[in-house]
Structures are given as C-alpha cells and as structure tokens.
Amino acid sequence: MNSYTRRQMFLASAIAPLLRGARAATLQQVHLGVTTDEIDEDLRTAAIFLHQHGLSYGELRSIWGKYNTAQPLEKIREAKAIMDEYQLKTSIADTAFFRGSLPPDTPEGKQALDQQWTLLDEAMARAKILGTDKLRIFAFTYKTGETPAAGAYARIYELLREAGRRAKTQGIRLAVENLANSYVWTGAQSADLQKALKEDNVGLNWDPNNAAEKGEIPFPDGFRLLDPARIFHVHVRDFRRSPEGKVEWTAVGDGEFDNTAHIRALLKAGYKETFNLETHWRGPGGKAASTEKSLAALMKAIERG
C-alpha cells in the first residue's frame, strides 16, 4: 500500500464518524481542500502539501505572487499541469469581481462596470483552463464606518443577475462570498440574495466566520436561513471574540466555531459541493505550518463528530 493510499484511509476514517447517522458517504463526497496561497504562493509547493495530506482539491486565489486573474494564460496552463501532476482538482477559482464600491449610474460608473465585465470574461477563460465551473465573486463593498444604502440592493441584485446571465452562456457558476463590509455580509443577507436571485447558476460561497464579524451567530442562526441547494462552496476556519467583542482568527479548534456540527448539518441537508480550509490565522511557524495545524485540528474535530 503506498503512502498516498494510507493518507486517504486516515482521512476517510476521520470523516466516517461524522457521516454515521446522516447518510452513507465517502471521502470523495466530502471534497475537502485548502486555499493554495494559504500554504505557499508557489503552486508546486502548495500542491505537494495537498498531495502529501491526502487532499484532492485546491482553491486557487493568488499563485506565484499574483491573483490568478492577473496571470497570463500560459501561467494558468502551467498551474493546471501542476494540479494534474499531483492529482488535484481546482475546487473554485477566486476573483475580485464586484469587490469594491458600487459604481454610480453615471458615465464614469459605466466605465468602471465595463472593467468588471472584462474581469469576468478573463476569469471565466481561466476557470475553463483550470477545469472548474465555479468562480468566487462578491456583491460590492462599502467603507468601514459607512452605513450601506438600503436602496442599493435592487441595483446590486440586477447586476448580479446580469453577471449570472453572462456566466451561464459559458457554463460557469458564480459563488457570491459573504464578506466583511459587503452588502452581503451575514447569513441573513445571504438568504435575502438567494431569494432575490432566481438564476440557478448564482449561489453562495458561504463563509460563516465572516458572518460572525458582523455580530451574527452564523451557526445555527445564520445557516438555518439559507437554502443549502444554492450553496456552491464553503470556507472552513475558526475565530474567537476578544473581550471587546472583535472577531479574531484562530487555529481551527482554538476558537468558538463548531466546525463539526456545521459540516454535519451541511451533509445532512444534502450538500455535495466543496469545503475549503482558509485559516487566515498565522502562527509563529508561517503559512504552511499554520494551515497544517488547522488541518490536523479540523480532522480531529470531524473524527469526534
């Protein structure tokens, strides 16, 4: 038995208790990965890490020091070759599409939107090379301290509908991440988006830890508002609140979030998409060591389930 098979058996045994009482499943159905630049900017280094830990997925955000959408197509083809070499799949390709201020309905705003549509086209071309049908996008942001205008939502939803229509012609799904200082920050706001948008290729990149930054209890409160069938991707992390109430990222297992119960609830609801460890936390050993610590704790948390 080779070492890769042993690692897969270890991970499968860790996940098995989580699945008992919910439904029969395999490690392949759990689809667990890591954001590659949370390991290393060098994609080969990150791919070796994923392979050595028996994982089959990587979320591609920044590679070789640049956002993947800023890399030329030949570098994206190189990235795909590296992923193939280590038997890895791209779970989702990250973009900064619609991450920024909502452009005003003016000639200058139209020019800004035109730049966003170009970004979407470039991102879809890269997703196809990478072999994924999912792009991570956003729903516009506002500055810290500002109060989001309630009247902006109708326009945001219409722009997301247009994005969905453009993406559908290319066979691409768009996963809107709930993000700090975004018009879609919490589980409640994510649920509102799901209700407003009927396009079946526009869904969520659900990040419960981001929702906690707004003060929401993301699980179970925020999660129970969501339609799991419209969740395309899930970020896994952990946090704790400081005495002042500020959310701080921690290693998985050292914080407040119940990843075991959250993952169990998703699987029970029929979720079959990808999970992705995105620690954001940095320990003294650097990025790879911090991710490895969180990954080990995540697997133990799952095993206890």
Side-chain angles (χ1 to χ4, degrees):
M1 181 182 296
N2 61 41
S3 58
Y4 183 70
T5 303
R6 284 199 299 271
R7 284 190 294 272
Q8 282 195 316
M9 289 181 64
F10 167 76
L11 291 175
S13 66
I15 288 174
L18 172 65
L19 302 171
R20 293 190 199 109
R23 60 183 178 86
T26 65
L27 176 59
Q28 287 71 32
Q29 289 171 306
V30 172
H31 302 317
L32 179 62
V34 178
T35 307
T36 62
D37 63 82
E38 296 259 345
I39 302 167
D40 200 282
E41 283 285 346
D42 179 68
L43 185 58
R44 184 174 295 277
T45 300
I48 290 170
F49 176 102
L50 293 171
H51 182 79
Q52 288 177 339
H53 288 80
L55 301 180
S56 299
Y57 291 86
E59 178 174 330
L60 296 191
R61 183 173 54 195
S62 178
I63 51 177
W64 299 301
K66 293 181 181 179
Y67 232 99
N68 73 83
T69 49
Q71 292 285 7
L73 292 181
E74 59 263 27
K75 294 297 288 185
I76 302 302
R77 294 187 184 98
E78 181 182 346
K80 179 62 164 65
I82 291 172
M83 297 290 278
D84 288 347
E85 180 181 348
Y86 292 96
Q87 301 174 313
L88 300 170
K89 297 178 182 178
T90 301
S91 58
I92 194 168
D94 289 348
T95 79
F97 181 71
F98 283 178
R99 181 170 185 169
S101 300
L102 177 65
D105 191 9
T106 64
E108 293 77 15
K110 182 181 183 303
Q111 185 177 11
L113 277 176
D114 286 342
Q115 293 173 350
Q116 289 296 296
W117 298 131
T118 298
L119 174 59
L120 179 61
D121 289 340
E122 293 173 346
M124 290 192 291
R126 284 155 177 76
K128 289 182 179 181
I129 293 171
L130 293 168
T132 181
D133 71 338
K134 291 189 289 187
L135 291 176
R136 190 280 309 274
I137 69 168
F138 297 96
F140 297 103
T141 58
Y142 50 88
K143 294 179 181 178
T144 300
E146 289 184 348
T147 300
Y153 279 94
R155 186 154 180 262
I156 290 170
Y157 292 158
E158 183 50 43
L159 288 170
L160 286 169
R161 290 187 191 100
E162 175 61 21
R165 289 190 286 268
R166 294 180 184 223
K168 193 158 191 174
T169 66
Q170 302 297 316
I172 297 292
R173 293 185 292 161
L174 304 177
V176 179
E177 180 173 347
N178 58 295
L179 180 76
N181 289 337
S182 169
Y183 287 87
V184 177
W185 187 344
T186 64
Q189 290 166 340
S190 299
D192 288 342
L193 181 145
Q194 287 183 320
K195 293 172 185 174
L197 272 65
K198 304 305 180 185
E199 287 71 16
D200 60 3
N201 68 320
V202 182
L204 299 178
N205 180 154
W206 169 233
D207 191 319
N209 296 274
N210 285 347
E213 287 188 280
K214 184 63 171 172
E216 183 180 68
I217 299 173
F219 182 83
D221 295 6
F223 174 78
R224 68 163 56 101
L225 302 174
L226 303 177
D227 175 4
R230 299 282 302 283
I231 301 175
F232 295 164
H233 190 62
V234 172
H235 280 167
V236 181
R237 193 160 59 253
D238 205 348
F239 71 90
R240 63 172 167 244
R241 290 182 176 85
S242 69
E244 296 76 30
K246 181 180 178 181
V247 164
E248 301 172 339
W249 308 132
T250 72
V252 171
D254 291 349
E256 304 174 19
F257 192 70
D258 191 343
N259 278 295
T260 299
H262 183 235
I263 294 172
R264 184 192 297 122
L266 278 159
L267 294 175
K268 188 175 181 180
Y271 182 76
K272 297 177 182 177
E273 301 278 357
T274 41
F275 294 92
N276 186 80
L277 175 62
E278 185 191 43
T279 63
H280 287 343
W281 169 78
R282 294 290 179 265
K287 290 200 294 187
S290 301
T291 293
E292 189 161 39
K293 177 179 171 66
S294 281
L295 180 60
L298 174 62
M299 299 316 301
K300 288 181 180 179
I302 292 171
E303 187 175 15
R304 286 196 298 270

